[in-house]
Amino acid sequence: MNSAHSNTTSGRNRPATARGPTRPQAPDTPELAERRAQAPAAQALIRATRRLFAEGGPEWATDKRIHDTASRPGGRKGFPLGTIRYYFGGRERLLVYVARHEHLARLDRVRRALRNVNSGQELTTALLDLAQDLDHFRVSFGLLTEARQMPELQAAQAALWQDWIDKLTEMVAELKARGVASADQDPYALALLWSSLTAGLAAHRLANPQIDLQPALDLAQLYATSLP
């Protein structure tokens, strides 16, 4: 009897211990899901995921590594496995929030950079500086890779990239009104061209850190000085 009792309380029959928070049984409303994602722990997971994507891409940003490296209030690192599931329902929804976080941060950086531009040459310099934000492009390219297998993330990415071009078009229109950008060019076309230029330069730099970008930079400076 003692042996049988022992077998029910040890080994494979031992009662499972809690492994941290789990997702509530009732599905979240959109409002509750949004409020849950704003919690300090959820924001810590978003920041940790973004950092891991920038360091090594999607393969590096495993769920376990995200849980282990996210910083708690006060600086202590680590959350129980299951915290992602509790706050986001799973990895895909977490990456949707990472994409939103990156999108808003990028828009803020670009707005601040273009706000102080007063000439075509300064504009080109600002755009080229933005192309040096390689962490942003590592995160963005990594999210695009993940989105191929994640329909919700793919839809979110499409909406965010469209919003990026729409907002950049508004910034270009404001530059045109100040006489910084060419008055003869369509703001949407310029926004799409500038976005493609910065992403392309960043992709080349990521693929080959030693690549010589100077010929392209010289051409961009020449174009800037010719703006009316």
Side-chain angles (χ1 to χ4, degrees):
M1 180 179 297
N2 290 340
S3 176
H5 177 74
S6 175
N7 287 338
T8 61
T9 57
S10 63
R12 70 176 61 185
N13 295 319
R14 181 181 300 166
T17 58
R19 294 178 61 84
T22 57
R23 185 170 173 77
Q25 292 182 356
D28 285 345
T29 64
E31 294 78 12
L32 181 58
E34 191 66 34
R35 190 160 65 246
R36 192 183 301 279
Q38 299 306 316
Q43 291 296 304
L45 292 169
I46 291 170
R47 291 191 297 270
T49 305
R50 193 268 180 195
R51 184 176 64 254
L52 291 169
F53 263 71
E55 291 175 356
E59 297 81 3
W60 182 247
T62 63
D63 287 3
K64 184 178 187 306
R65 193 169 278 121
I66 294 168
H67 282 103
D68 289 346
T69 62
S71 297
R72 292 171 177 265
R76 186 163 63 92
K77 290 187 180 297
F79 284 91
L81 289 175
T83 307
I84 289 176
R85 187 165 179 263
Y86 175 76
Y87 284 104
F88 301 101
R91 180 181 178 86
E92 182 170 7
R93 181 63 61 83
L94 167 63
L95 295 185
V96 168
Y97 279 94
V98 172
R100 293 178 184 175
H101 172 88
E102 190 65 20
H103 172 68
L104 293 174
R106 176 69 168 175
L107 280 176
D108 182 63
R109 287 193 295 270
V110 173
R111 283 196 182 98
R112 285 188 283 107
L114 297 186
R115 189 178 299 141
N116 299 319
V117 166
N118 294 302
S119 69
Q121 187 164 0
E122 289 180 3
L123 173 59
T124 303
T125 300
L127 292 173
L128 296 177
D129 286 344
L130 291 169
Q132 303 301 316
D133 185 6
L134 298 186
D135 277 0
H136 163 72
F137 289 102
R138 288 190 187 97
V139 174
S140 296
F141 297 158
L143 289 169
L144 287 173
T145 299
E146 289 282 82
R148 292 182 299 177
Q149 305 297 328
M150 296 181 174
E152 184 180 358
L153 177 60
Q154 188 175 46
Q157 287 277 71
L160 291 173
W161 278 71
Q162 184 59 55
D163 186 64
W164 157 251
I165 292 299
D166 291 344
K167 295 295 193 304
L168 188 57
T169 299
E170 294 172 4
M171 295 181 221
V172 172
E174 194 273 334
L175 290 172
K176 284 185 61 175
R178 292 201 284 120
V180 176
S182 173
D184 298 330
Q185 300 298 329
D186 174 51
Y188 176 83
L190 277 176
L192 195 57
L193 177 63
W194 292 351
S195 179
S196 301
L197 174 66
T198 55
L201 291 176
H204 281 292
R205 181 59 58 82
L206 286 171
N208 177 12
Q210 307 303 319
I211 191 171
D212 181 12
L213 296 178
Q214 197 57 49
L217 305 187
D218 291 342
L219 185 59
Q221 292 285 1
L222 180 64
Y223 171 73
T225 57
S226 69
L227 290 174

